[in-house]
C-alpha cells in the first residue's frame, strides 16, 4: 500500500483526493519533484536529492523548500511503511493554489518499486534515441526553458516513452539536433569505455544525476576515470556498455539501441552494480 | 465564486480537494485542457475547442474525450454560475490515476475573468521575444515533443511569463532559433500589415488558435486578406499592429516590444475588435 505524508508529518489516505483543481501543479504542471530510493528503511542520497529540489525551486522562482518539512514527511512515510524492502519515495512541491497566498503544496508519497523496474534492473532494456529538439547550447542562453529543473511538466518525457513502446523498446536516450547525448526521460545516461565512465554535463540542458554521482564517487575511489563531458551520439556505438542510472532503476543495462543488439555488457554491469552498492 | 462540475454533471466545491496525489495530471503534467470563453451564458467556439481537445488527446494517446461529457459539465457550470457576464471555462482531462484502469480524470471549472486580463484587453500590453529553443521544422519530425498539443505541462510557459515580468513586460512572443515567430505562452500572435492579417501556421509547432480563427473568418468576410504562414521575427517591427488572441484575452494589443514602443495601433485594434465581436 502506498503511504502518503503531508509536510507537517500527518499521514493521509492516498486513495482519497488531496489536491484542489486550481492547484498550479495540476493546472500548469507548475511544480517540482524528486524521487528518493529507500532501502531497508534508509533513504539514499537524501542530501543531493534535497539540494536538487532547492535548485529546481530556485529555477522556478518558487519559495525555498524546507528541509525540516521534507525530513518530517519522509520519516512519517518510513514509520508507516508496511511494504517491501525498497520504497520509491516521491517528494512533490507545487506552486500552490492559483491566485492564492503563494504557499506551495507539498507531500511525500512512498510507493512500491514496480515489477517492470525490477525486471529491467535484472535483464536490461532496449532503448531508442529520440531528438529532444534543443541544441546543446540552449540551456545556457535560455534559462526560462527550465532545462535542468525537475518539474512536474513531464508530458513530453511520457510521450517519448510511448514512442519507444511503439518501436518495441522501453526507454529513450534524448539527443540534441546537433548530435549530442542528453539523458533518459527519467534517468541519467552513463557510457563506459574501458575503465572510463562518461556522462553528459548538466550545462547541456539535463538534470545532474544523484545516482550517477554516487556511482562516479565509488568508481573514482577504485581507480576508474570518471568524466562529466559531452558525449556524441556517434560515440554510443563504440561504448563497452551503456547504462541508465536513476534512484529507482539503480544501474540498468541497455542491451539494445535503436533495434541493434549492443555488445554484451553483463560483466561491466555487475562491476558497476558492485561499485554502486559499495556506497551504501 | 468559481464553479466546478464533474463530467457526470455533478457540481463540486472547488475549495475542497478533488484530485488524488497519484493522478498523472499532477505527477507528470500528463493531460490536456482547453479554456472556453462564455459571454452572457453563451460559450464561444465550443466546436473548435472540443475538436482541439480531441486532437490533443490523440497526440497524447489518450482516450478520446466525450463531447456529451464536456457538454454536460459545461451546462452544469453555466446553470450554477452567479458571477459576472463572462466566464473563463476550463476543461481539464488527465490520464487518470497512475497504475489505474486508464480512466481519465475530467472536469470543467468556471472562473471569473481576472482584473489583469480585463486591464490588458483595454490598455494593451508590453511583450518581449524569447527563444523557445525549437527550430521551425522540429514539430514535423519529432511528434513526441507534443508541439501543438495543449497539455497541462505548462511550466515553461509560466517561466517565460516570469521572465517577461523581470524585464518589465507582461507577455512573451516565443521565437525559434532560426528566426521565426511562434506564439505567446497562452495565446496566438497576429501581425497586421495594411489590410492583411498574418499568423504562423500550426506546422511550425504551435497551437492553432480558436480566437484567431474566428477573427480571420470575420476579417475575410469583410474583404481582408488573411494568411496563415511563417512570420519572421524581423518582420514584427514592420507591422502596423501586433495582437495576442486567446479566448479570455480576446484581441489584446501590444504597445511595446522588447522595450521599444510600437506604432500606435489603437485604430487597428478597434477594427479587429469590431470584426471579432461580429462573429457573436
Amino acid at each position: 500500500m502506498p503511504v502518503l505524508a503531508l509536510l507537517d508529518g500527518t499521514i493521509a489516505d492516498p486513495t482519497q483526493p488531496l489536491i484542489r483543481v486550481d492547484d498550479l501543479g495540476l493546472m500548469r504542471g507548475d511544480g517540482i519533484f524528486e524521487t528518493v530510493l529507500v532501502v531497508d528503511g534508509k533513504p539514499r542520497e537524501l542530501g543531493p536529492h534535497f539540494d536538487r529540489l532547492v535548485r529546481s525551486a530556485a529555477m522556478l522562482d518558487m519559495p525555498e523548500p524546507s528541509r525540516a518539512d521534507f525530513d518530517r514527511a519522509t520519516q512519517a512515510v518510513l514509520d508507516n511503511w508496511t511494504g517491501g524492502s525498497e520504497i520509491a519515495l516521491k517528494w512533490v512541491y507545487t506552486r500552490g493554489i492559483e491566485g492564492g497566498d503563494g504557499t506551495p503544496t507539498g507531500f511525500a508519497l512512498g510507493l512500491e518499486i514496480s515489477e517492470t523496474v525490477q525486471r529491467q534492473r535484472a535483464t536490461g532494456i532496449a532503448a531508442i534515441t529520440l531528438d529532444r529538439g534543443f541544441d546543446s547550447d540552449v540551456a545556457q542562453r535560455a534559462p526560462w526553458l527550465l532545462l535542468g529543473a525537475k518539474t512536474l511538466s513531464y508530458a513530453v518525457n511520457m510521450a517519448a516513452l510511448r514512442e519507444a513502446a511503439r518501436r518495441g523498446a522501453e526507454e529513450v536516450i534524448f539527443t540534441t539536433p546537433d548530435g549530442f547525448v542528453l539523458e533518459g526521460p527519467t534517468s541519467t545516461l552513463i557510457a563506459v569505455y574501458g575503465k572510463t565512465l562518461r556522462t553528459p554535463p548538466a550545462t547541456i540542458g539535463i538534470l545532474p544525476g544523484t545516482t550517477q554521482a554516487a556511482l562516479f564517487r565509488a568508481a573514482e575511489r577504485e581507480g576508474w576515470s570518471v568524466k562529466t563531458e559531452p558525449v556524441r551520439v556517434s560515440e554510443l556505438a563504440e561504448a563497452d556498455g551503456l547504462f541508465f542510472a536513476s534512484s529507482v532503476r539503480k544501474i540498468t543495462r541497455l542491451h539494445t539501441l535503436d533495434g541493434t543488439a549492443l555488445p554484451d555488457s553483463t560483466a561491466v554491469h555487475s562491476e558497476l552494480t558492485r561499485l554502486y552498492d559499495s556506497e551504501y
Side-chain angles (χ1 to χ4, degrees), chain A:
Chain A
M1 264 294 283
V3 176
L4 171 62
L6 312 188
L7 297 187
D8 64 3
T10 311
I11 291 291
D13 181 349
T15 69
Q16 294 301 312
L18 184 78
I19 305 297
R20 285 170 53 156
V21 294
D22 53 358
D23 192 291
L24 289 162
L26 175 74
M27 277 294 195
R28 299 296 193 184
D30 202 357
I32 56 180
F33 76 105
E34 285 289 325
T35 306
V36 181
L37 179 66
V38 180
V39 180
D40 297 331
K42 293 189 192 65
R44 294 187 167 177
E45 307 300 326
L46 208 52
H49 279 296
F50 188 74
D51 291 348
R52 194 165 67 180
L53 191 75
V54 169
R55 281 200 303 278
S56 292
M59 291 178 77
L60 269 75
D61 304 307
M62 287 178 64
E64 184 166 326
S66 150
R67 176 73 188 253
D69 283 352
F70 280 96
D71 279 348
R72 196 182 298 117
T74 296
Q75 195 56 51
V77 170
L78 302 191
D79 290 347
N80 289 274
W81 182 256
T82 58
S85 63
E86 294 191 356
I87 311 172
L89 177 72
K90 295 203 180 221
W91 291 339
V92 174
Y93 192 66
T94 87
R95 199 179 299 279
I97 300 299
E98 182 157 26
D101 66 2
T103 305
T105 303
F107 60 84
L109 176 65
L111 298 165
E112 294 284 0
I113 307 296
S114 73
E115 286 178 20
T116 301
V117 165
Q118 294 188 48
R119 172 180 53 73
Q120 292 176 345
R121 282 179 182 173
T123 64
I125 49 179
I128 60 172
T129 52
L130 283 185
D131 186 351
R132 187 65 186 81
F134 293 122
D135 271 333
S136 55
D137 62 346
V138 77
Q140 307 279 305
R141 70 169 198 264
W144 50 86
L145 299 180
L146 305 179
L147 299 173
K150 199 167 171 73
T151 79
L152 297 174
S153 286
Y154 258 40
V156 169
N157 303 253
M158 301 297 105
L161 293 176
R162 290 192 300 277
E163 179 68 17
R166 268 191 286 274
R167 300 190 194 177
E170 291 189 283
E171 264 293 348
V172 170
I173 301 177
F174 281 130
T175 61
T176 69
D178 53 346
F180 290 96
V181 172
L182 292 170
E183 62 191 343
T186 62
S187 60
T188 313
L189 187 85
I190 297 167
V192 180
Y193 300 85
K195 289 280 282 182
T196 299
L197 302 181
R198 294 174 64 193
T199 199
T203 48
I204 206 165
I206 62 173
L207 283 185
T210 52
T211 305
Q212 165 267 317
L215 173 65
F216 274 33
R217 275 200 314 268
E220 196 165 26
R221 208 173 42 232
E222 296 205 15
W224 289 64
S225 169
V226 299
K227 295 184 177 170
T228 302
E229 64 182 11
V231 177
R232 293 202 156 269
V233 178
S234 57
E235 292 176 295
L236 293 177
E238 304 154 17
D240 298 312
L242 299 174
F243 302 89
F244 281 124
S246 85
S247 300
V248 298
R249 62 170 57 72
K250 299 181 174 173
I251 313 293
T252 293
R253 184 172 67 89
L254 276 69
H255 56 59
T256 306
L257 184 61
D258 290 329
T260 302
L262 295 167
D264 181 8
S265 63
T266 49
V268 184
H269 182 235
S270 299
E271 177 62 9
L272 297 190
T273 297
R274 186 189 65 74
L275 287 168
Y276 164 80
D277 286 339
S278 75
E279 280 290 293
Y280 306 104

